[in-house]
Amino acid sequence: MEFINKFKAAIEECNYIVFFGGAGVSTESGIPDFRSVDGLYNQKYKYPPEVIISHSFYMRKTEEFYEFYKDKMLFTGVKPNAAHIKLAELEQQGKLKAVATQNIDGLHQLAGSKEVLELHGSVHRNYCQNCRKLFDMAYVKNSEGVPKCDSCGGTIKPDVVLYEEGLDQETISRTVHHISKADMLIVGGTSLAVYPAAGLIDYFNGKYLVVINMSPTPRDNQADIVINKKIGEVFSQI
């Protein structure tokens, strides 16, 4: 409880808060985490998930990629949890300036957040590789086999960053801009194991570094406040 009170007091004090989040932010909404005990990395497939969601696998075995992607990465009917909702409220109050997320589920926007920096893209944006026409998640999810463009017949690709692909430079520079100006950086629901995204935290030189994660992270020893609890539980008490 003392950490929650310390966290609350720090939020009161700060006026440029940035949130940096990972898969743990969405697990309480029912979206599995990649690396947890029951996460995707511990399930059995013909190929490891990190191979299936790589650029080269997508190019080589598009049908198998989509089989896994539709089954394991597209979730319908999921709703924002207490963390998403509280972050949107903090933004409306003018305290939170940006959410940088490694998640691709769009739940921050659904909760009402406006300045959302999607480092790894979004399942809600899909485009024809031939004519660039855009498609929503439902079109991809409901397609048979490999989704094809209804205008030109080209293959549709999700606007998500696959393994072996680079992050969007504009999104990175906006994230760096916000983190470097922040007086508080809240790192939540991430093991900080995925680079280059995790390295963006190095640009923070503000007053409070807060880490909220179920398990220890490499940044705990640098943090001013460390809370090892579910992020939704923590934010529901703020």
Side-chain angles (χ1 to χ4, degrees), residues 186-205:
I186 306 168
V187 176
T190 171
S191 57
L192 293 174
V194 178
Y195 281 79
L200 296 171
I201 291 163
D202 293 334
Y203 290 95
F204 177 68
N205 50 22

Side-chain angles (χ1 to χ4, degrees), residues 37-186:
V37 177
D38 52 355
L40 289 178
Y41 277 98
N42 291 293
Q43 296 177 20
K44 298 290 176 271
Y45 292 96
K46 198 166 150 191
Y47 303 92
E50 66 269 36
V51 170
I52 300 175
I53 50 176
S54 68
H55 177 79
S56 49
F57 191 91
Y58 169 80
M59 297 303 286
R60 257 191 358 261
K61 296 178 180 283
T62 314
E63 199 156 336
E64 284 180 69
F65 166 87
Y66 266 114
E67 209 174 293
F68 177 88
Y69 180 77
K70 288 183 207 175
D71 186 35
K72 294 292 172 190
M73 300 189 74
L74 298 185
F75 296 89
T76 52
V78 287
K79 292 185 170 63
N81 61 54
H84 298 106
I85 291 159
K86 180 54 74 173
L87 288 165
E89 282 173 16
L90 287 169
E91 185 183 45
Q92 280 150 20
Q93 291 163 20
K95 282 190 164 289
L96 184 95
K97 304 302 181 191
V99 168
T101 180
Q102 298 175 85
N103 297 338
I104 56 175
D105 50 46
L107 287 177
H108 286 291
Q109 289 94 327
L110 203 55
S113 289
K114 300 283 183 274
E115 180 68 358
V116 181
L117 305 158
E118 294 176 308
L119 294 163
H120 294 156
S122 173
V123 295
H124 297 282
R125 293 188 304 271
N126 305 275
Y127 61 93
C128 171
Q129 290 183 274
N130 187 34
C131 73
R132 312 305 282 186
K133 183 176 175 178
L134 299 175
F135 295 88
D136 62 11
M137 183 178 88
Y139 187 91
V140 171
K141 180 110 175 142
N142 299 327
S143 62
E144 287 289 317
V146 177
K148 297 289 184 185
C149 175
D150 58 5
S151 292
C152 75
T155 298
I156 294 168
K157 184 178 189 292
D159 189 10
V160 299
V161 179
L162 303 177
Y163 284 96
E164 305 162 351
E165 293 181 341
L167 302 191
D168 176 68
Q169 287 306 310
E170 167 65 16
T171 308
I172 289 180
S173 51
R174 278 168 61 204
T175 304
V176 168
H177 166 79
H178 283 300
I179 289 177
S180 60
K181 287 181 74 175
D183 50 12
M184 175 189 277
L185 176 62
I186 306 168

